[in-house]
Amino acid sequence: MSKFKKVLIANRGEIALRVIRGAKRMGYSTVAVYSDADRDAAHVWAADEAVRLGPAPVGESYLVIDKMIEAARASGADAVHPGYGFLAENAGFARACESAGLVFIGPTPDAIDLMGNKRAAKLRMIEAGVPCVPGYEGEDQEDDTLIARAREIGCPIMVKASAGGGGRGMRLVADEAKLAEAIKSARSEAQNAFGSSELILEKAVINARHVEIQVFADTHGNVIHLGERDCSVQRRHQKVVEEAPSPAVDEALRDKMGQAAVEAAQAIKYRGAGTVEFLLDTSGEFYFMEMNTRLQVEHPVTELVTGQDLVEWQLRVAEGETLPMAQADLQMKGHAIEVRLCAEDPEQDFLPQTGKVLRWHEPQGDGIRVDHCLQEGGEISPFYDSMQGKLIAWGPNRYVARCRLIKALEECVLLGVVSNKDFLVRILNHEAFAAGDFDTKFIDRYFPRDEIEAALPGLRHRALAAVAMYHRDATALRSDQGLSESFMSWRNSNAVSYQLKIGHGENLWECAIRATGPCAYEVDLGDKEEKQHITLTSFSDHEFHYVCEGVQGSADYAGAGNLLWLSCEGETWVYSDKTLLPPDAGAEGSDGRILASMDGKILAVNVQPGDSISKGETVLVLEAMKMEFQVAAAVDGIVEEVGVSAGDQVKARQLMAAIKPVE
Ligand code: MV4
């Protein structure tokens, strides 16, 4: 008889989707919860039912225990899966679920409490015989005691907040003279961040890898491990790449670390999914760091190498079943690597990015798995984590898994919001990563900030951007306004080149583009750069096919205002068209093309095809941003085409009219 039938997923984003999928597959009904910012989020539609929690801020929605419990009551859910983050490691939430008669799909509240405190956890682990870094984890927190103990341990030393996590309240002390100050500042940071000033001291392990063991325990005393994950590639204590198995772990070490992790779980009578984190030093010694009492972001790499569904295991354990298999029956096969796709800008020190997703194309292929919450047209809001999903590749060996993941990232299209996608490719391509030779300093060592920020689009990418910008204006006018075919080759007879200014960040490229035939262009990006000859073989509103210098390819693009997002040759860059600069809404090039520089409405058109016009004369009047702009001719000439009439709405960059300049 099952204990529960309907599972409330107390989370959002990709993990809510992952858990909903797993629960549905097992035959459970699912209930999603959402904030106002997530009204149209994918997890809301994926679940059978959904309950609104409240306004967007997490303190008024996903972190409010009472609202979660009420959502379960209202929907008739009888179990709660917390996912990761939010309330997943909140013992008070686990207790509140139990008090409300809900099955909490996770460990006991006491296990969460114990592992949430580094001092208590470490004392228990030492007692259980799990290897720990030598240090001080005493009750006495007097300055004199801490300093005396630190001198005994010897520098370098790690000062850690007992309640800390993710590097907060942590200090590395290389020199005894700095000890007192480090203790003082760690203590006050801990008090402010966690409401507890308790500290522990540890010998610092240098050049360590972060290797963690996945454990699982049922309520019948069975505990097994599912091997390790190497999560050494991190940035500011945020994991970036995770893989299984670790390139630094052989079978003998796996057995030893796995056994230590199982003993850790047994010592605290653990239940469900857990992860025991170790520091692994260069000599192969490993030390307990902490235990995470939840399903982790990186669980898919373990699933891909073991062939097991960890959400299914969690549900079975919560039902009171025994573990699906014994240690000896678990087989590991091949290699899996995961990268975290985040809406953040590597060029701005990884500043989180928000905005509308204009285009999302998920990669596919052998061994590729994508766990994500992206939707075309969806908004990435500033209220939640910047991680939008994970790309995971499995292969029969590490080399194949790595190549597949690089290919998947190159095929993946995310336009509208800057992401770390191309940075992830650079990491996977790095020779040290390829060799499996990395530790927790990998990103700092090989990707210093100035080097990340120095990356620029290549010549061909910029040339394709220029063609896309130019061609879409011509196409937009022709299709929207029903103009003649000859319009596009109008420039042909002219043989004038059009000057585009393309910007990216602080960079500005002047580029001359000239039509050399129908849909054929010659792009000149400056004296030292070779001219690029690009022919468009198809062009839709979001992608085009081209031949560039004899090589066929395709590109995805999206535009918003004067921005052009372009994904081709495996790279995504966003460009701004700086050819026309506001507030001169009617600025135009010397070639006679008249484009709207912002969205607006045509109030009047003063000319018609065939008219002679002089430079400075008003061609039309555009209303934009509550102002009227007299859009004037920049050249003397003959009006060739007029694509708008009074009352029309125009989009920024839309070609409104064209004047054929006179010599
Ligand atoms: C350490 C350490 C070296 N020696 N403890 C970072 C966050 C917290 N989970 C523990 N951390 C560390 N503890 C000793 N005794 C180095 C780190 C550390 C680290 C650990 C794992 C992954 C990335 C890291 C980056 C910097 C420091």
Side-chain angles (χ1 to χ4, degrees):
M1 219 9 236
S2 73
K3 287 187 183 172
F4 54 91
K5 289 196 169 67
K6 192 187 264 195
V7 181
L8 178 132
I9 295 89
N11 215 303
R12 65 178 302 282
E14 67 87 18
I15 193 62
L17 283 161
R18 163 71 188 95
V19 174
I20 290 165
R21 221 182 304 124
K24 280 190 163 177
R25 212 174 62 81
M26 298 282 290
Y28 293 104
S29 297
T30 55
V31 182
V33 289
Y34 64 94
S35 72
D36 290 342
D38 280 340
R39 198 182 296 277
D40 300 314
H43 75 278
V44 177
W45 301 106
D48 300 305
E49 295 170 298
V51 180
R52 176 185 176 268
L53 294 172
V58 293
E60 297 173 66
S61 53
Y62 298 104
L63 282 179
V64 185
I65 293 175
D66 291 347
K67 289 189 175 184
M68 268 324 161
I69 302 292
E70 174 53 24
R73 195 205 55 76
S75 59
D78 41 15
V80 174
H81 193 300
Y84 55 68
F86 296 128
L87 298 169
E89 290 175 288
N90 183 317
F93 180 54
R95 286 196 184 96
C97 287
E98 288 181 1
S99 303
L102 302 164
V103 174
F104 180 74
I105 303 167
T108 61
D110 289 349
I112 298 173
D113 268 338
L114 178 69
M115 287 304 169
N117 181 290
K118 284 196 163 62
R119 190 172 80 79
K122 207 172 161 188
L123 287 171
R124 277 295 275 281
M125 292 303 110
I126 292 168
E127 192 185 308
V130 176
C132 292
V133 189
Y136 172 71
E137 44 283 319
E139 207 172 351
D140 183 351
Q141 294 282 311
E142 293 300 319
D143 273 11
D144 290 352
T145 310
L146 291 176
I147 289 169
R149 292 309 199 104
R151 290 221 168 91
E152 284 169 34
I153 298 160
C155 286
I157 271 188
M158 280 288 185
V159 179
K160 295 182 178 180
S162 199
R168 284 217 291 175
M170 191 177 86
R171 297 285 183 283
L172 171 62
V173 187
D175 173 359
E176 256 186 42
K178 305 240 166 74
L179 207 52
E181 177 50 36
I183 288 170
K184 192 165 163 247
S185 73
R187 187 183 274 144
S188 93
E189 188 177 317
Q191 183 63 46
N192 288 329
F194 315 111
S196 156
S197 61
E198 195 174 71
L199 302 175
I200 62 166
L201 304 172
E202 282 181 355
K203 184 90 189 172
V205 183
I206 307 302
N207 302 331
R209 299 174 83 111
H210 171 129
V211 177
E212 59 186 32
I213 303 279
Q214 175 73 54
V215 294
F216 243 97
D218 63 22
T219 49
H220 306 277
N222 304 301
V223 185
I224 71 166
H225 73 84
L226 291 92
E228 80 283 3
R229 296 183 286 259
D230 194 319
C231 314
S232 300
V233 179
Q234 307 200 355
R235 197 187 151 273
R236 304 224 178 123
H237 301 291
Q238 295 292 315
K239 293 168 183 167
V240 178
V241 185
E242 303 107 339
E243 62 181 296
S246 165
V249 175
D250 61 16
E251 215 171 297
L253 183 55
R254 179 170 308 115
D255 286 347
K256 259 170 63 181
M257 293 181 82
Q259 191 51 39
V262 166
E263 280 162 15
Q266 281 166 337
I268 62 168
K269 299 196 163 49
Y270 196 72
R271 171 182 88 192
T275 297
V276 184
E277 293 184 353
F278 293 102
L279 286 170
L280 174 64
D281 75 13
T282 46
S283 70
E285 293 296 319
F286 60 90
Y287 308 94
F288 172 84
M289 242 191 325
E290 52 195 72
M291 181 170 182
N292 301 314
T293 55
R294 59 169 191 270
L295 185 73
Q296 298 207 198
V297 174
E298 59 272 25
H299 75 277
V301 294
T302 299
E303 294 189 320
L304 292 184
V305 295
T306 60
Q308 303 302 315
D309 177 336
L310 299 193
V311 171
E312 177 183 333
W313 282 41
Q314 285 189 297
L315 292 163
R316 286 176 177 273
V317 167
E319 285 283 14
E321 290 181 32
T322 54
L323 289 182
M325 58 178 64
Q327 190 72 60
D329 301 326
L330 189 83
Q331 304 271 321
M332 306 229 206
K333 198 173 145 210
H335 201 101
I337 310 178
E338 170 180 288
V339 287
R340 298 187 182 194
L341 182 63
C342 300
E344 58 186 23
D345 187 357
E347 290 177 52
Q348 294 182 68
D349 204 23
F350 295 87
L351 189 71
Q353 303 289 300
T354 60
K356 192 192 272 288
V357 176
L358 299 175
R359 184 144 171 82
W360 163 249
H361 171 77
E362 173 182 340
Q364 294 172 323
D366 285 350
I368 297 300
R369 165 171 168 183
V370 187
D371 283 16
H372 71 89
C373 59
L374 288 157
Q375 302 185 98
E376 250 175 44
E379 287 284 336
I380 295 177
S381 82
F383 298 100
Y384 314 115
D385 199 279
S386 69
M387 193 188 82
Q388 303 302 312
K390 299 145 2 186
L391 278 73
I392 315 109
W394 180 89
N397 54 52
R398 188 172 187 268
Y399 179 78
V400 174
R402 190 173 66 85
C403 292
R404 283 176 170 176
L405 189 52
I406 291 167
K407 185 70 174 37
L409 281 163
E410 288 175 346
E411 263 175 36
C412 181
V413 180
L414 173 55
L415 306 180
V417 181
V418 176
S419 83
N420 65 341
K421 187 174 85 74
D422 294 0
F423 177 64
L424 295 171
V425 174
R426 293 183 63 192
I427 290 176
L428 297 176
N429 272 321
H430 195 280
E431 58 177 22
F433 184 83
D437 178 19
F438 52 80
D439 59 29
T440 58
K441 299 234 166 59
F442 174 82
I443 290 179
D444 293 335
R445 190 179 295 130
Y446 297 116
F447 295 94
R449 193 176 159 177
D450 50 343
E451 194 183 308
I452 292 172
E453 291 174 5
L456 286 173
L459 173 63
R460 200 164 281 193
H461 208 284
R462 280 178 280 138
L464 287 162
V467 167
M469 271 185 192
Y470 187 84
H471 192 82
R472 83 174 162 175
D473 295 336
T475 317
L477 181 70
R478 198 159 59 115
S479 60
D480 294 356
Q481 317 301 332
L483 291 182
S484 62
E485 185 79 28
S486 66
F487 183 77
M488 284 179 69
S489 47
W490 149 79
R491 171 166 333 288
N492 251 343
S493 50
N494 243 27
V496 186
S497 71
Y498 182 64
Q499 302 294 318
L500 269 176
K501 290 197 189 82
I502 298 180
H504 173 78
E506 301 285 283
N507 305 280
L508 190 71
W509 296 283
E510 300 253 355
C511 125
I513 180 164
R514 193 168 68 84
T516 56
C519 297
Y521 299 98
E522 180 187 80
V523 186
D524 186 349
L525 278 150
D527 21 298
K528 274 181 246 108
E529 316 258 47
E530 292 208 5
K531 284 182 182 147
Q532 299 292 301
H533 297 89
I534 296 167
T535 302
L536 298 172
T537 50
S538 80
F539 197 85
S540 80
D541 62 357
H542 66 273
E543 68 180 347
F544 59 90
H545 288 78
Y546 61 85
V547 183
C548 181
E549 297 300 322
V551 180
Q552 292 181 34
S554 64
D556 289 83
Y557 78 98
N562 67 337
L563 293 182
L564 177 89
W565 300 81
L566 182 66
S567 176
C568 59
E569 299 187 302
E571 290 186 10
T572 301
W573 295 94
V574 57
Y575 300 91
S576 54
D577 185 346
K578 298 276 178 77
T579 313
L580 310 162
L581 294 170
D584 186 1
E588 58 175 31
S590 57
D591 67 343
R593 287 162 34 106
I594 298 178
L595 285 80
S597 73
M598 49 186 108
D599 291 1
K601 186 180 165 189
I602 303 296
L603 294 182
V605 179
N606 300 352
V607 296
Q608 51 188 10
D611 286 358
S612 282
I613 193 162
S614 315
K615 184 175 171 178
E617 264 184 76
T618 298
V619 176
L620 49 83
V621 183
L622 174 70
E623 182 191 62
M625 292 165 65
K626 301 195 174 81
M627 289 181 289
E628 282 184 25
F629 295 92
Q630 305 286 321
V631 180
V635 290
D636 295 338
I638 309 290
V639 177
E640 181 91 354
E641 298 271 4
V642 177
V644 291
S645 28
D648 285 358
Q649 294 291 332
V650 292
K651 301 298 287 175
R653 296 210 42 75
Q654 182 175 323
L655 187 47
M656 301 184 292
I659 299 162
K660 183 174 182 176
V662 288
E663 303 298 304

